[in-house]
Amino acid sequence: MRYRTRLTAPAAALLGTAAATTLAPSAYAASGGTSKAASGKDAAAPGAETLGDPVYPSLGNDGYRVAAYHLDLAYDATTKLVDGEATLRIRTTQALTRLSLDALGLDIRSVRVGGRTATFELVDEKLRITPARSLPANTGTTICVAYGADPRRALTHTAWVPTPDGFAVCPQPNSAHTVFPCNDHPVDKADFTFRITVPSSLRGVANGTLVRTESLAGDRTAYSYRSRSPIATELVQITVGDYVVKDRQGPNGLPLRDVVPVARAAALEPALALTPGLVAWLEQRLGAYPFETYGLLPCNSDDPAAFDFTGLETQTLTLYKPNYLLQEEKFIGSHMMHELVHSYFGNSVSPGTWADLWLNEGHADFYGLLYRYERGWTDSLGLTTMEARMKNTYARGDQWRRTSGPVAAPNEVNLFDSQRYLGGVLVLYALREFVGEATFNAIERTFLDRYRNSSATTENYISVASEIAGQDLSGFLRDWLYGTTTPRMPGHPDWTVTPVPTSLVAPKNRTVAGHHDNSATL
């Protein structure tokens, strides 16, 4: 039996006030274009079914911005199905006769806009909604979508990770809308609250802080969570299973919580105990941890097919396969740092478009490698210093630019290639060599402070770097980020790039983008 759940009072209050969330511009506008919403047209029209992302051009929807989501999900352990209700508080940016959400693989049952029944249709990966009345520009309203989902349904892409006792989700980069209907682009961050109803033998977990636990009829329990900071849809985490939550204190009183399979809690403790030291090290370099809590979620599955990566940042929780965390510290500490860095680069400051992924992955690998070498651990190539690793990477520069494109110009197929990871590290290393360590550190902190709880593009980073360095770095950085050949490395005139055969082209057998373990911190 599937149980219908309802919006709780605290969530309703959040949706009503929108928690003073600043509405983000479209991805296209953020990168210098003009969105349809800014065109000045007063006549009502259907909202655009895209935000113009250069990597995922069909992703996201224009004509409104989401201020807050409330997700009310109920899991049936017998059928292994999910009943869901997603309530979105939006503000229109133009007058709308119709609007759309991203949605795939969801069984939509009903849609209400402003409390009134709305008509809807599913077309490709869009849920088109026609409200009973046109929506004026610059007005707030709610959209409530009731739906069902099967975490085991075969789809062209999915965020669901089925486990023997429930599920977790891995939405990055473009699959949050297989879990809930949404404006699925990191530029449109929003406040989130969650209510997860499960059999009392299981636990429901989500981003943020547990604010309420309810014992319900039928031996069920509902867990409610609230995030203090806005979340990009690709960073949402919802987990159901036989878990125990282990609390500990981090630096400066930061509450840490790990969500651990009950049967493996003791075995995983050595890895979990590393987190306070990792946070302390990173706070010395990037400032105070940006969220209310942090922790690890060793998903209750070691199935190689469960997901195609080692660790995945979701806001306030990092998803792992348990077996990876059973290794010695020297084999996991660097990658644990990589994922922690995403709390700053990727979560607190999200990419303005998916072409800006190097900002996430380059920074995560940069600090993950620094941590590794400071600890005296050799990397996967047997190297022990950042300089040695960067010299090795530099030699591959032109090859990667040929096969994976420039660092900041990916496409859907090569998005998660090493060029976004180590290639991004090489750009940051070149910048640090050029401006000096003190100036580089100031650039990093200024960028994080300026765009906290928002999204930022590569051009935003270039602008901050130029401002803090007191010189125009646009030509220098654009050569590194967009050039088809690798520039000279500052301070290392002896470094050379290995010539690339003219016959070398991008691999032809890659047809679909996916996560790859290309991080140098592994």
Side-chain angles (χ1 to χ4, degrees):
M1 180 178 183
R2 282 175 271 174
Y3 302 98
R4 172 59 52 206
T5 54
R6 300 184 183 279
L7 182 67
T8 59
L14 173 62
L15 290 168
T17 62
T21 296
T22 300
L23 300 178
S26 75
Y28 180 54
S31 60
T34 302
S35 73
K36 183 175 180 179
S39 64
K41 293 181 180 180
D42 295 324
E49 295 181 348
T50 177
L51 284 173
D53 190 271
V55 177
Y56 296 103
S58 64
L59 203 61
N61 306 274
D62 211 355
Y64 66 92
R65 295 293 171 264
V66 183
Y69 292 86
H70 177 68
L71 303 182
D72 197 341
L73 306 181
Y75 176 69
D76 188 319
T78 301
T79 64
K80 300 186 183 302
L81 299 177
V82 173
D83 257 7
E85 188 169 88
T87 303
L88 292 71
R89 176 69 186 175
I90 70 165
R91 177 163 291 275
T92 61
T93 55
Q94 66 179 84
L96 294 170
T97 58
R98 189 183 76 196
L99 71 160
S100 57
L101 300 172
D102 297 302
L104 174 65
L106 304 177
D107 300 315
I108 308 298
R109 296 179 181 136
S110 66
V111 179
R112 300 192 306 277
V113 178
R116 296 174 177 267
T117 299
T119 60
F120 64 89
E121 62 175 339
L122 283 165
V123 180
D124 296 324
E125 298 188 22
K126 300 294 179 179
L127 172 60
R128 291 178 179 167
I129 299 169
T130 303
R133 298 176 180 175
S134 294
L135 302 176
N138 301 313
T139 59
T141 191
T142 57
I143 303 172
C144 186
V145 182
Y147 65 98
D150 180 355
R152 288 162 174 75
R153 179 174 294 169
L155 300 169
T156 55
H157 61 96
T158 184
W160 295 101
V161 179
T163 62
D165 51 355
F167 61 84
V169 299
C170 52
Q172 191 187 90
N174 63 331
S175 294
H177 62 278
T178 66
V179 178
F180 60 101
C182 56
N183 201 19
D184 198 2
H185 194 281
V187 79
D188 196 9
K189 300 171 77 164
D191 290 327
F192 271 83
T193 55
F194 307 83
R195 185 170 184 260
I196 308 167
T197 301
V198 297
S200 294
S201 59
L202 303 178
R203 184 180 290 266
V205 178
N207 312 80
T209 302
L210 179 67
V211 295
R212 187 180 184 189
T213 303
E214 304 167 74
S215 296
L216 306 177
D219 196 26
R220 295 173 297 135
T221 302
Y223 298 90
S224 295
Y225 295 83
R226 180 195 298 267
S227 175
R228 294 181 189 170
S229 303
I231 305 176
T233 52
E234 53 112 357
L235 300 172
V236 164
Q237 182 55 254
I238 304 166
T239 304
V240 169
D242 186 17
Y243 292 102
V244 59
V245 175
K246 304 187 74 172
D247 297 309
R248 71 190 76 228
Q249 186 168 300
N252 304 308
L254 174 69
L256 301 175
R257 59 131 184 193
D258 298 304
V259 180
V260 191
V262 170
R264 308 180 78 170
L268 288 164
E269 180 58 27
L272 307 179
L274 299 175
T275 299
L278 293 164
V279 174
W281 186 92
L282 194 56
E283 285 191 331
Q284 291 176 359
R285 288 151 182 82
L286 297 181
Y289 177 78
F291 301 119
E292 64 268 38
T293 186
Y294 181 68
L296 306 188
L297 168 56
C299 178
N300 199 13
S301 175
D302 282 306
D303 181 356
F307 42 82
D308 56 349
F309 50 85
T310 298
L312 179 72
E313 71 279 10
T314 56
Q315 195 157 305
T316 69
L317 280 171
T318 292
L319 183 69
Y320 276 106
K321 291 179 182 175
N323 275 347
Y324 176 77
L325 296 174
L326 296 179
Q327 302 177 85
E328 294 179 56
E329 180 185 3
K330 64 182 179 181
F331 296 120
I332 62 175
S334 181
H335 194 261
M336 288 177 68
M337 179 61 71
H338 172 110
E339 297 300 342
L340 176 59
V341 172
H342 280 312
S343 296
Y344 297 77
F345 291 97
N347 298 11
S348 179
V349 181
S350 297
T353 77
W354 280 108
D356 304 307
L357 181 70
W358 79 273
L359 286 168
N360 300 15
E361 303 301 345
H363 278 100
D365 256 17
F366 181 84
Y367 290 100
L369 285 173
L370 285 180
Y371 185 74
R372 176 189 292 275
Y373 299 135
E374 283 191 18
R375 304 282 287 185
W377 301 328
T378 58
D379 62 27
S380 59
L381 300 181
L383 303 174
T384 58
T385 67
M386 180 69 89
E387 182 176 332
R389 187 61 186 255
M390 289 300 94
K391 184 177 181 180
N392 178 279
T393 304
Y394 184 81
R396 308 182 194 194
D398 284 3
Q399 175 183 327
W400 286 0
R401 289 170 191 268
R402 178 76 63 84
T403 60
S404 299
V407 174
N411 58 41
E412 183 176 355
V413 172
N414 64 35
L415 179 61
F416 289 97
D417 280 8
S418 293
Q419 183 73 307
R420 259 44 78 190
Y421 293 75
L422 264 176
V425 177
L426 193 65
V427 174
L428 297 172
Y429 182 84
L431 176 61
R432 191 179 68 170
E433 292 292 290
F434 189 68
V435 302
E437 186 170 356
T439 299
F440 175 80
N441 292 341
I443 290 169
E444 297 283 90
R445 288 205 178 208
T446 301
F447 178 76
L448 290 171
D449 289 344
R450 185 165 299 174
Y451 293 101
R452 181 172 181 170
N453 291 333
S454 185
S455 57
T457 64
T458 298
E459 288 302 312
N460 294 143
Y461 186 82
I462 292 172
S463 177
V464 169
S466 297
E467 174 190 331
I468 300 305
Q471 59 179 309
D472 185 0
L473 296 176
S474 57
F476 174 83
L477 282 170
R478 285 174 187 149
D479 283 348
W480 277 96
L481 290 162
Y482 298 106
T484 56
T485 58
T486 306
R488 300 295 296 176
M489 177 59 71
H492 298 279
D494 58 315
W495 287 13
T496 58
V497 178
T498 302
V500 180
T502 56
S503 60
L504 183 66
V505 295
K508 294 183 178 180
N509 61 345
R510 295 186 304 175
T511 57
V512 189
H515 295 89
H516 305 283
D517 281 335
N518 290 324
S519 170
T521 60
L522 288 166

